[in-house]
Coordinates of all heavy atoms in Angstrom, one line a residue:
T26 N -14.9 -1.3 -14.5 CA -13.9 -2.3 -14.3 C -12.6 -1.7 -14.7 O -12.4 -1.1 -15.8 CB -14.1 -3.6 -15.2 OG1 -15.4 -4.1 -14.9 CG2 -13.1 -4.6 -15.0
F27 N -11.6 -1.9 -13.9 CA -10.2 -1.4 -14.1 C -9.2 -2.5 -14.1 O -9.4 -3.5 -13.4 CB -9.8 -0.4 -13.1 CG -10.6 0.9 -13.0 CD1 -11.7 1.0 -12.1 CD2 -10.4 1.9 -13.9 CE1 -12.5 2.2 -12.1 CE2 -11.2 3.0 -13.9 CZ -12.2 3.2 -13.0
T28 N -8.2 -2.4 -14.9 CA -7.1 -3.4 -14.9 C -5.9 -2.8 -14.2 O -5.4 -1.7 -14.5 CB -6.7 -3.7 -16.4 OG1 -7.9 -4.2 -17.1 CG2 -5.7 -4.7 -16.5
I29 N -5.4 -3.6 -13.2 CA -4.2 -3.3 -12.5 C -3.1 -4.3 -13.0 O -3.4 -5.5 -13.0 CB -4.3 -3.4 -11.0 CG1 -5.3 -2.3 -10.5 CG2 -3.0 -3.2 -10.3 CD1 -5.6 -2.3 -9.1
R30 N -2.0 -3.8 -13.5 CA -0.9 -4.6 -13.9 C 0.3 -4.4 -13.1 O 0.7 -3.3 -12.7 CB -0.6 -4.3 -15.4 CG -1.6 -4.6 -16.4 CD -1.1 -4.2 -17.8 NE -2.2 -4.4 -18.7 CZ -2.9 -3.4 -19.2 NH1 -2.7 -2.2 -18.8 NH2 -3.9 -3.7 -20.1
L31 N 0.9 -5.5 -12.7 CA 2.2 -5.5 -12.0 C 3.2 -6.2 -13.0 O 3.1 -7.3 -13.3 CB 2.1 -6.3 -10.7 CG 1.1 -5.8 -9.7 CD1 1.1 -6.7 -8.5 CD2 1.5 -4.4 -9.3
L32 N 4.1 -5.4 -13.5 CA 5.1 -5.8 -14.5 C 6.4 -6.1 -13.9 O 6.9 -5.2 -13.1 CB 5.2 -4.8 -15.6 CG 3.9 -4.4 -16.3 CD1 4.1 -3.3 -17.3 CD2 3.2 -5.6 -16.9
Q33 N 7.1 -7.2 -14.2 CA 8.4 -7.5 -13.7 C 9.3 -7.8 -14.9 O 8.9 -8.6 -15.8 CB 8.4 -8.7 -12.8 CG 9.8 -9.2 -12.4 CD 9.7 -10.5 -11.7 OE1 8.7 -10.9 -11.2 NE2 10.9 -11.2 -11.6
T34 N 10.4 -7.2 -15.0 CA 11.4 -7.5 -16.0 C 12.7 -7.9 -15.3 O 13.2 -7.2 -14.5 CB 11.7 -6.2 -16.9 OG1 10.5 -5.8 -17.4 CG2 12.7 -6.5 -18.0
T35 N 13.2 -9.1 -15.7 CA 14.4 -9.6 -15.1 C 15.4 -9.9 -16.2 O 15.1 -10.6 -17.2 CB 14.2 -10.9 -14.3 OG1 13.2 -10.6 -13.3 CG2 15.4 -11.4 -13.6
T36 N 16.6 -9.4 -16.1 CA 17.7 -9.7 -17.0 C 18.7 -10.5 -16.2 O 19.3 -10.0 -15.2 CB 18.3 -8.4 -17.5 OG1 17.3 -7.6 -18.1 CG2 19.4 -8.6 -18.6
F37 N 19.0 -11.6 -16.7 CA 20.1 -12.5 -16.1 C 21.4 -12.2 -16.8 O 21.6 -12.6 -17.9 CB 19.6 -14.0 -16.2 CG 18.4 -14.2 -15.4 CD1 17.2 -14.2 -16.0 CD2 18.5 -14.5 -14.0 CE1 16.0 -14.4 -15.3 CE2 17.3 -14.8 -13.3 CZ 16.1 -14.7 -13.9
Q38 N 22.3 -11.6 -16.0 CA 23.6 -11.3 -16.6 C 24.5 -12.5 -16.6 O 25.3 -12.7 -17.6 CB 24.3 -10.2 -15.7 CG 23.5 -9.0 -15.5 CD 23.3 -8.2 -16.8 OE1 24.1 -8.3 -17.7 NE2 22.2 -7.4 -16.9
N39 N 24.5 -13.3 -15.6 CA 25.2 -14.6 -15.5 C 24.6 -15.4 -14.4 O 23.5 -15.1 -13.9 CB 26.7 -14.3 -15.2 CG 26.9 -13.4 -14.0 OD1 26.3 -13.6 -13.0 ND2 27.8 -12.4 -14.1
T40 N 25.3 -16.5 -14.0 CA 24.7 -17.4 -13.0 C 24.6 -16.8 -11.6 O 23.9 -17.3 -10.7 CB 25.5 -18.7 -12.9 OG1 26.8 -18.4 -12.6 CG2 25.4 -19.5 -14.2
S41 N 25.3 -15.7 -11.3 CA 25.2 -15.1 -10.0 C 24.6 -13.7 -9.9 O 24.6 -13.1 -8.9 CB 26.6 -15.1 -9.4 OG 27.5 -14.2 -10.2
F42 N 24.1 -13.2 -11.0 CA 23.6 -11.8 -11.0 C 22.3 -11.7 -11.9 O 22.4 -12.1 -13.1 CB 24.6 -10.8 -11.4 CG 24.1 -9.4 -11.4 CD1 23.9 -8.7 -10.2 CD2 23.7 -8.8 -12.6 CE1 23.4 -7.4 -10.2 CE2 23.2 -7.5 -12.6 CZ 23.1 -6.8 -11.3
A43 N 21.3 -11.2 -11.3 CA 20.0 -10.9 -12.1 C 19.6 -9.5 -11.8 O 19.6 -9.1 -10.6 CB 18.9 -11.9 -11.7
D44 N 19.2 -8.7 -12.8 CA 18.8 -7.4 -12.6 C 17.3 -7.3 -12.8 O 16.8 -7.7 -13.9 CB 19.5 -6.5 -13.7 CG 19.3 -5.0 -13.4 OD1 19.1 -4.6 -12.3 OD2 19.4 -4.3 -14.4
T45 N 16.5 -6.9 -11.8 CA 15.1 -7.0 -11.8 C 14.5 -5.6 -11.6 O 14.9 -4.9 -10.7 CB 14.5 -7.9 -10.7 OG1 15.1 -9.2 -10.9 CG2 13.0 -8.0 -10.8
D46 N 13.5 -5.3 -12.4 CA 12.7 -4.0 -12.3 C 11.2 -4.4 -12.2 O 10.8 -5.4 -12.7 CB 12.9 -3.1 -13.5 CG 14.3 -2.6 -13.7 OD1 14.7 -2.0 -12.7 OD2 14.9 -2.8 -14.7
G47 N 10.5 -3.6 -11.4 CA 9.0 -3.8 -11.3 C 8.3 -2.5 -11.4 O 8.8 -1.4 -11.0
M48 N 7.0 -2.6 -11.9 CA 6.2 -1.4 -12.1 C 4.8 -1.7 -11.9 O 4.3 -2.9 -12.3 CB 6.4 -0.8 -13.5 CG 5.6 0.4 -13.8 SD 5.7 1.2 -15.4 CE 6.8 0.2 -16.3
G49 N 4.0 -0.8 -11.4 CA 2.5 -1.0 -11.2 C 1.8 0.0 -12.1 O 2.1 1.1 -12.1
L50 N 0.8 -0.5 -12.8 CA 0.0 0.3 -13.7 C -1.5 0.1 -13.4 O -2.0 -1.0 -13.1 CB 0.2 0.0 -15.1 CG 1.6 0.1 -15.7 CD1 1.6 -0.5 -17.1 CD2 1.9 1.6 -15.8
L51 N -2.3 1.2 -13.4 CA -3.7 1.2 -13.4 C -4.2 1.6 -14.7 O -4.0 2.8 -15.1 CB -4.3 2.1 -12.3 CG -5.8 2.3 -12.2 CD1 -6.5 0.9 -11.9 CD2 -6.2 3.3 -11.2
E52 N -4.7 0.7 -15.5 CA -4.9 0.9 -16.9 C -3.6 1.4 -17.5 O -2.6 0.7 -17.5 CB -6.0 1.9 -17.2 CG -7.4 1.4 -16.7 CD -7.9 0.2 -17.5 OE1 -7.5 0.0 -18.7 OE2 -8.7 -0.5 -16.9
D53 N -3.5 2.7 -18.0 CA -2.2 3.2 -18.6 C -1.6 4.2 -17.7 O -0.6 4.9 -18.1 CB -2.4 3.8 -20.0 CG -3.4 5.0 -20.0 OD1 -4.1 5.2 -18.9 OD2 -3.5 5.7 -21.0
I54 N -2.0 4.3 -16.4 CA -1.4 5.2 -15.4 C -0.4 4.5 -14.6 O -0.6 3.5 -13.9 CB -2.5 5.8 -14.5 CG1 -3.6 6.5 -15.3 CG2 -1.9 6.8 -13.5 CD1 -4.9 6.9 -14.5
K55 N 0.8 5.1 -14.6 CA 1.9 4.5 -13.8 C 1.7 4.9 -12.4 O 1.7 6.0 -12.0 CB 3.3 5.0 -14.3 CG 4.5 4.3 -13.7 CD 5.8 4.8 -14.3 CE 7.0 4.2 -13.6 NZ 8.2 4.7 -14.2
L56 N 1.5 3.9 -11.5 CA 1.2 4.1 -10.1 C 2.5 4.2 -9.3 O 2.6 5.0 -8.4 CB 0.4 3.0 -9.5 CG -1.0 2.8 -10.1 CD1 -1.7 1.6 -9.5 CD2 -1.8 4.0 -10.0
G57 N 3.5 3.4 -9.7 CA 4.7 3.4 -8.9 C 5.7 2.3 -9.5 O 5.3 1.6 -10.4
Y58 N 6.8 2.2 -8.9 CA 7.8 1.3 -9.3 C 8.6 0.8 -8.2 O 8.7 1.5 -7.1 CB 8.7 1.8 -10.5 CG 9.5 3.0 -10.0 CD1 10.9 2.9 -9.6 CD2 9.0 4.3 -10.1 CE1 11.6 3.9 -9.2 CE2 9.8 5.4 -9.7 CZ 11.1 5.2 -9.3 OH 11.8 6.3 -8.9
F59 N 9.3 -0.3 -8.3 CA 10.2 -0.8 -7.3 C 11.6 -0.4 -7.6 O 12.1 -0.8 -8.7 CB 10.0 -2.4 -7.2 CG 10.8 -3.0 -6.0 CD1 10.3 -2.9 -4.8 CD2 12.0 -3.6 -6.2 CE1 11.0 -3.4 -3.7 CE2 12.7 -4.2 -5.2 CZ 12.2 -4.1 -3.9
D60 N 12.2 0.3 -6.7 CA 13.6 0.8 -6.9 C 14.5 -0.3 -6.5 O 14.6 -0.6 -5.3 CB 13.8 2.1 -6.2 CG 15.2 2.7 -6.5 OD1 16.1 2.0 -6.9 OD2 15.3 3.9 -6.2
K61 N 15.2 -0.9 -7.4 CA 16.1 -2.1 -7.1 C 17.3 -1.6 -6.3 O 17.9 -2.4 -5.6 CB 16.5 -2.8 -8.4 CG 17.3 -1.9 -9.3 CD 17.5 -2.6 -10.6 CE 18.1 -1.6 -11.6 NZ 17.8 -2.0 -13.0
H62 N 17.7 -0.3 -6.4 CA 18.9 0.2 -5.7 C 18.6 0.4 -4.2 O 19.5 0.2 -3.4 CB 19.4 1.4 -6.4 CG 19.7 1.3 -7.8 ND1 20.8 0.5 -8.2 CD2 19.1 1.7 -8.9 CE1 20.8 0.5 -9.6 NE2 19.8 1.3 -10.0
T63 N 17.4 0.8 -3.9 CA 17.0 1.0 -2.5 C 16.1 0.0 -1.9 O 15.7 0.0 -0.8 CB 16.4 2.4 -2.3 OG1 15.2 2.5 -3.1 CG2 17.3 3.5 -2.8
S64 N 15.6 -0.9 -2.8 CA 14.6 -2.0 -2.4 C 13.4 -1.3 -1.8 O 12.9 -1.8 -0.7 CB 15.3 -3.0 -1.5 OG 16.3 -3.7 -2.1
S65 N 12.9 -0.3 -2.4 CA 11.7 0.3 -1.9 C 10.7 0.7 -3.1 O 11.1 0.8 -4.2 CB 12.0 1.6 -1.1 OG 12.7 2.5 -1.9
I66 N 9.5 0.9 -2.7 CA 8.5 1.4 -3.7 C 8.5 2.9 -3.8 O 8.5 3.6 -2.8 CB 7.1 0.9 -3.2 CG1 7.0 -0.6 -3.1 CG2 6.0 1.4 -4.1 CD1 5.7 -1.2 -2.5
H67 N 8.5 3.4 -5.0 CA 8.3 4.8 -5.3 C 7.0 5.1 -5.9 O 6.6 4.4 -6.9 CB 9.5 5.3 -6.2 CG 10.8 5.3 -5.5 ND1 11.3 6.4 -4.8 CD2 11.7 4.4 -5.3 CE1 12.4 6.1 -4.3 NE2 12.7 4.9 -4.6
F68 N 6.2 6.0 -5.4 CA 4.9 6.3 -5.9 C 5.0 7.4 -6.9 O 5.6 8.4 -6.7 CB 4.0 6.7 -4.8 CG 3.9 5.6 -3.7 CD1 4.7 5.6 -2.6 CD2 3.0 4.5 -3.9 CE1 4.6 4.6 -1.6 CE2 2.9 3.5 -3.0 CZ 3.7 3.6 -1.8
C69 N 4.3 7.2 -8.0 CA 4.3 8.2 -9.1 C 3.0 9.1 -9.1 O 3.0 10.1 -9.7 CB 4.4 7.5 -10.5 SG 5.9 6.5 -10.7
Q70 N 2.0 8.7 -8.4 CA 0.8 9.5 -8.3 C 0.6 9.8 -6.8 O 0.7 9.0 -5.9 CB -0.4 8.7 -8.8 CG -0.3 8.2 -10.2 CD -0.1 9.3 -11.2 OE1 -0.7 10.3 -11.1 NE2 0.6 9.0 -12.3
P71 N 0.2 11.1 -6.5 CA 0.1 11.5 -5.1 C -1.0 10.9 -4.4 O -1.0 10.8 -3.1 CB -0.1 13.0 -5.2 CG -0.6 13.3 -6.6 CD 0.0 12.2 -7.5
W72 N -2.0 10.3 -5.0 CA -3.1 9.7 -4.4 C -2.9 8.2 -4.0 O -3.7 7.6 -3.4 CB -4.4 9.9 -5.2 CG -4.2 9.6 -6.6 CD1 -3.9 10.5 -7.6 CD2 -4.3 8.3 -7.3 NE1 -3.8 9.8 -8.8 CE2 -4.1 8.5 -8.7 CE3 -4.6 7.0 -6.9 CZ2 -4.1 7.5 -9.6 CZ3 -4.6 6.0 -7.8 CH2 -4.4 6.2 -9.1
V73 N -1.8 7.6 -4.5 CA -1.6 6.1 -4.3 C -1.2 5.8 -2.9 O -1.8 5.0 -2.2 CB -0.6 5.6 -5.3 CG1 -0.3 4.1 -5.0 CG2 -1.1 5.8 -6.7
H74 N -0.2 6.5 -2.4 CA 0.3 6.2 -1.0 C -0.7 6.3 0.1 O -0.8 5.4 0.9 CB 1.6 7.0 -0.7 CG 2.3 6.6 0.5 ND1 2.0 7.2 1.7 CD2 3.2 5.6 0.7 CE1 2.8 6.6 2.6 NE2 3.5 5.6 2.1
P75 N -1.5 7.4 0.1 CA -2.5 7.5 1.2 C -3.7 6.4 1.0 O -4.5 6.3 1.9 CB -3.1 8.9 1.0 CG -2.2 9.6 0.1 CD -1.5 8.6 -0.7
A76 N -3.7 5.7 -0.1 CA -4.8 4.7 -0.3 C -4.8 3.6 0.7 O -5.8 2.9 1.0 CB -4.8 4.2 -1.7
L77 N -3.6 3.3 1.3 CA -3.4 2.2 2.3 C -2.6 2.7 3.5 O -1.8 3.6 3.3 CB -2.7 1.0 1.6 CG -3.4 0.2 0.5 CD1 -2.4 -0.8 0.0 CD2 -4.6 -0.4 1.1
P78 N -2.8 2.1 4.6 CA -2.0 2.4 5.8 C -0.5 2.1 5.5 O -0.3 1.1 4.8 CB -2.6 1.6 6.9 CG -3.9 1.1 6.4 CD -3.9 1.1 5.0
Q79 N 0.4 2.7 6.2 CA 1.8 2.5 6.0 C 2.2 1.0 6.3 O 3.0 0.4 5.6 CB 2.7 3.4 6.9 CG 4.1 3.3 6.7 CD 4.6 3.6 5.2 OE1 4.1 4.5 4.6 NE2 5.4 2.7 4.7
A80 N 1.5 0.4 7.3 CA 1.8 -1.0 7.6 C 1.5 -1.9 6.4 O 2.2 -2.9 6.2 CB 1.0 -1.4 8.8
D81 N 0.4 -1.6 5.7 CA 0.1 -2.4 4.5 C 1.2 -2.2 3.4 O 1.5 -3.2 2.7 CB -1.3 -2.0 4.0 CG -2.4 -2.5 4.9 OD1 -2.1 -3.3 5.8 OD2 -3.6 -2.1 4.6
W82 N 1.6 -1.0 3.2 CA 2.7 -0.8 2.2 C 4.0 -1.5 2.6 O 4.7 -2.0 1.8 CB 3.0 0.7 2.0 CG 1.9 1.4 1.2 CD1 1.1 2.5 1.6 CD2 1.5 1.1 -0.1 NE1 0.2 2.8 0.6 CE2 0.4 2.0 -0.4 CE3 1.9 0.2 -1.1 CZ2 -0.2 2.0 -1.7 CZ3 1.2 0.2 -2.3 CH2 0.2 1.1 -2.6
D83 N 4.3 -1.5 3.9 CA 5.5 -2.2 4.4 C 5.4 -3.7 4.1 O 6.3 -4.3 3.7 CB 5.7 -2.0 5.9 CG 6.0 -0.5 6.2 OD1 6.5 0.2 5.3 OD2 5.9 -0.2 7.4
T84 N 4.2 -4.2 4.3 CA 3.9 -5.7 4.0 C 4.1 -5.9 2.6 O 4.7 -6.9 2.1 CB 2.5 -6.1 4.5 OG1 2.4 -5.8 5.9 CG2 2.2 -7.5 4.2
I85 N 3.5 -5.1 1.7 CA 3.6 -5.3 0.2 C 5.0 -5.2 -0.2 O 5.5 -6.0 -1.0 CB 2.7 -4.2 -0.5 CG1 1.2 -4.5 -0.2 CG2 3.0 -4.2 -2.0 CD1 0.3 -3.4 -0.7
E86 N 5.8 -4.2 0.3 CA 7.2 -4.0 0.0 C 8.0 -5.3 0.4 O 8.8 -5.8 -0.4 CB 7.7 -2.8 0.7 CG 9.0 -2.3 0.1 CD 9.3 -0.9 0.7 OE1 9.9 -0.8 1.7 OE2 8.9 0.1 0.0
N87 N 7.8 -5.8 1.6 CA 8.4 -7.1 2.0 C 8.1 -8.2 1.1 O 8.9 -9.1 0.8 CB 8.1 -7.3 3.4 CG 8.9 -6.4 4.4 OD1 9.9 -5.9 4.0 ND2 8.3 -6.2 5.5
L88 N 6.8 -8.4 0.7 CA 6.4 -9.5 -0.2 C 7.1 -9.4 -1.5 O 7.5 -10.4 -2.1 CB 4.9 -9.5 -0.3 CG 4.1 -9.9 0.9 CD1 2.6 -9.7 0.7 CD2 4.4 -11.4 1.2
I89 N 7.2 -8.1 -2.0 CA 7.9 -7.9 -3.3 C 9.3 -8.4 -3.2 O 9.9 -9.1 -4.1 CB 7.8 -6.5 -3.8 CG1 6.3 -6.2 -4.2 CG2 8.7 -6.2 -4.9 CD1 6.0 -4.7 -4.4
K90 N 10.0 -8.0 -2.1 CA 11.4 -8.3 -1.9 C 11.6 -9.9 -1.9 O 12.5 -10.4 -2.5 CB 11.9 -7.7 -0.7 CG 12.1 -6.2 -0.7 CD 12.6 -5.7 0.6 CE 12.5 -4.2 0.7 NZ 12.9 -3.7 2.0
I91 N 10.7 -10.5 -1.1 CA 10.8 -12.0 -1.0 C 10.5 -12.6 -2.3 O 11.2 -13.5 -2.8 CB 9.8 -12.5 0.1 CG1 10.2 -12.0 1.4 CG2 9.6 -14.0 0.0 CD1 9.1 -12.2 2.5
F92 N 9.5 -12.2 -3.1 CA 9.1 -12.7 -4.4 C 10.3 -12.6 -5.3 O 10.7 -13.6 -6.0 CB 7.9 -12.0 -5.0 CG 7.7 -12.4 -6.4 CD1 7.1 -13.6 -6.7 CD2 8.1 -11.6 -7.4 CE1 6.9 -14.0 -8.0 CE2 7.9 -12.0 -8.7 CZ 7.3 -13.2 -9.0
M93 N 10.9 -11.4 -5.4 CA 12.0 -11.2 -6.4 C 13.2 -12.1 -6.0 O 13.8 -12.7 -6.9 CB 12.4 -9.7 -6.4 CG 11.4 -8.9 -7.1 SD 12.0 -7.2 -7.3 CE 10.7 -6.5 -8.3
H94 N 13.5 -12.2 -4.8 CA 14.6 -13.1 -4.3 C 14.3 -14.5 -4.7 O 15.2 -15.2 -5.3 CB 14.9 -12.9 -2.8 CG 15.9 -13.9 -2.3 ND1 17.2 -13.7 -2.6 CD2 15.8 -15.0 -1.6 CE1 17.9 -14.6 -2.0 NE2 17.1 -15.5 -1.4
Q95 N 13.1 -15.0 -4.4 CA 12.8 -16.4 -4.7 C 12.7 -16.6 -6.2 O 13.1 -17.7 -6.6 CB 11.4 -16.7 -4.0 CG 11.5 -16.8 -2.5 CD 12.4 -17.9 -2.0 OE1 12.7 -18.8 -2.7 NE2 12.8 -17.8 -0.7
F96 N 12.1 -15.7 -6.9 CA 12.0 -15.9 -8.4 C 13.4 -16.1 -9.0 O 13.6 -17.0 -9.8 CB 11.4 -14.6 -9.0 CG 11.3 -14.6 -10.5 CD1 10.3 -15.3 -11.1 CD2 12.2 -14.0 -11.3 CE1 10.2 -15.4 -12.5 CE2 12.2 -14.0 -12.6 CZ 11.2 -14.7 -13.3
N97 N 14.3 -15.2 -8.6 CA 15.7 -15.3 -9.2 C 16.4 -16.6 -8.8 O 17.1 -17.2 -9.6 CB 16.5 -14.1 -8.7 CG 16.1 -12.8 -9.4 OD1 15.3 -12.8 -10.3 ND2 16.5 -11.7 -8.8
R98 N 16.2 -17.0 -7.5 CA 16.7 -18.3 -7.0 C 16.2 -19.5 -7.8 O 16.9 -20.4 -8.2 CB 16.4 -18.4 -5.6 CG 17.3 -19.4 -4.8 CD 17.1 -19.4 -3.3 NE 16.7 -20.7 -3.0 CZ 15.4 -21.2 -2.8 NH1 14.4 -20.4 -2.9 NH2 15.2 -22.4 -2.5
V99 N 14.9 -19.5 -8.0 CA 14.3 -20.6 -8.7 C 14.7 -20.7 -10.2 O 15.1 -21.7 -10.7 CB 12.7 -20.5 -8.6 CG1 12.1 -21.5 -9.6 CG2 12.3 -20.8 -7.2
I100 N 14.7 -19.5 -10.9 CA 15.1 -19.5 -12.3 C 16.6 -19.9 -12.4 O 16.9 -20.7 -13.3 CB 14.9 -18.1 -12.9 CG1 13.5 -17.7 -12.9 CG2 15.6 -18.0 -14.3 CD1 12.6 -18.6 -13.8
N101 N 17.4 -19.5 -11.5 CA 18.8 -19.9 -11.5 C 19.0 -21.4 -11.3 O 19.8 -22.0 -12.0 CB 19.6 -19.1 -10.4 CG 21.1 -19.3 -10.6 OD1 21.6 -19.7 -11.6 ND2 21.8 -19.0 -9.5
A102 N 18.2 -21.9 -10.4 CA 18.3 -23.4 -10.1 C 17.8 -24.2 -11.3 O 18.5 -25.2 -11.7 CB 17.4 -23.7 -8.9
V103 N 16.8 -23.7 -12.0 CA 16.3 -24.4 -13.2 C 17.3 -24.4 -14.3 O 17.6 -25.3 -15.0 CB 14.9 -23.9 -13.6 CG1 14.5 -24.4 -15.0 CG2 13.8 -24.2 -12.6
A104 N 17.9 -23.2 -14.5 CA 18.9 -23.0 -15.5 C 20.1 -23.9 -15.3 O 20.6 -24.5 -16.2 CB 19.4 -21.6 -15.6
M105 N 20.5 -24.1 -14.0 CA 21.6 -24.9 -13.7 C 21.3 -26.4 -13.9 O 22.1 -27.2 -14.4 CB 22.1 -24.7 -12.2 CG 22.8 -23.4 -12.1 SD 23.3 -22.9 -10.5 CE 23.7 -24.3 -9.6
Q106 N 20.0 -26.8 -13.6 CA 19.6 -28.2 -13.8 C 19.6 -28.5 -15.3 O 19.9 -29.6 -15.7 CB 18.2 -28.4 -13.3 CG 18.2 -28.5 -11.8 CD 16.7 -28.7 -11.3 OE1 15.8 -28.5 -12.0 NE2 16.6 -29.0 -10.0
M107 N 19.2 -27.5 -16.1 CA 19.1 -27.7 -17.6 C 20.4 -27.4 -18.3 O 20.5 -27.5 -19.5 CB 18.0 -26.8 -18.2 CG 16.6 -27.2 -17.6 SD 15.3 -26.1 -18.2 CE 15.2 -26.7 -19.9
D108 N 21.4 -27.1 -17.5 CA 22.8 -26.8 -18.0 C 22.8 -25.7 -19.0 O 23.4 -25.7 -20.0 CB 23.4 -28.1 -18.6 CG 24.9 -28.0 -18.7 OD1 25.5 -27.2 -17.8 OD2 25.5 -28.6 -19.5
I109 N 22.0 -24.6 -18.6 CA 22.0 -23.4 -19.5 C 23.0 -22.4 -18.9 O 23.0 -22.1 -17.7 CB 20.6 -22.8 -19.4 CG1 19.5 -23.8 -20.0 CG2 20.5 -21.5 -20.2 CD1 18.1 -23.3 -19.9
P110 N 23.9 -21.9 -19.7 CA 24.9 -21.0 -19.2 C 24.3 -19.6 -18.8 O 23.3 -19.2 -19.3 CB 25.9 -20.8 -20.4 CG 25.1 -21.2 -21.6 CD 24.0 -22.2 -21.2

């Protein structure tokens, strides 16, 4: 049995800007990370990328982008409802 972790760290600078980083781990091996500047996945192990067809990686990358956008939008909306600066 192996544990795969997807870690997300989001720092909210103000009501209009959030800085988000993401990383994937297999046990303690860093598989890759999401580059917020290019909005793409970078692989840290040479065997990770060939594990799936490119179309699957494209789908995963798009899902990550959608998730991060929606996550920041929802958190911002909740903060505004609760009147949190």
Side-chain angles (χ1 to χ4, degrees):
T26 303
F27 296 99
T28 301
I29 295 177
R30 293 183 185 98
L31 299 175
L32 306 174
Q33 173 188 342
T34 304
T35 303
T36 305
F37 295 92
Q38 305 293 336
N39 54 44
T40 58
S41 62
F42 181 76
D44 192 26
T45 302
D46 293 304
M48 177 182 4
L50 299 168
L51 174 62
E52 296 294 335
D53 61 347
I54 301 169
K55 185 176 179 181
L56 300 177
Y58 63 93
F59 187 77
D60 186 340
K61 62 188 168 202
H62 302 292
T63 62
S64 295
S65 61
I66 298 172
H67 289 270
F68 301 97
C69 298
Q70 303 299 325
W72 46 267
V73 175
H74 189 263
L77 292 175
Q79 185 59 44
D81 289 350
W82 285 119
D83 292 342
T84 300
I85 291 169
E86 199 168 85
N87 286 332
L88 289 172
I89 290 170
K90 290 176 191 178
I91 291 166
F92 170 79
M93 288 185 174
H94 175 75
Q95 292 294 343
F96 175 82
N97 292 342
R98 200 176 119 261
V99 167
I100 295 298
N101 189 16
V103 169
M105 287 174 37
Q106 284 178 351
M107 298 178 72
D108 202 25
I109 298 173

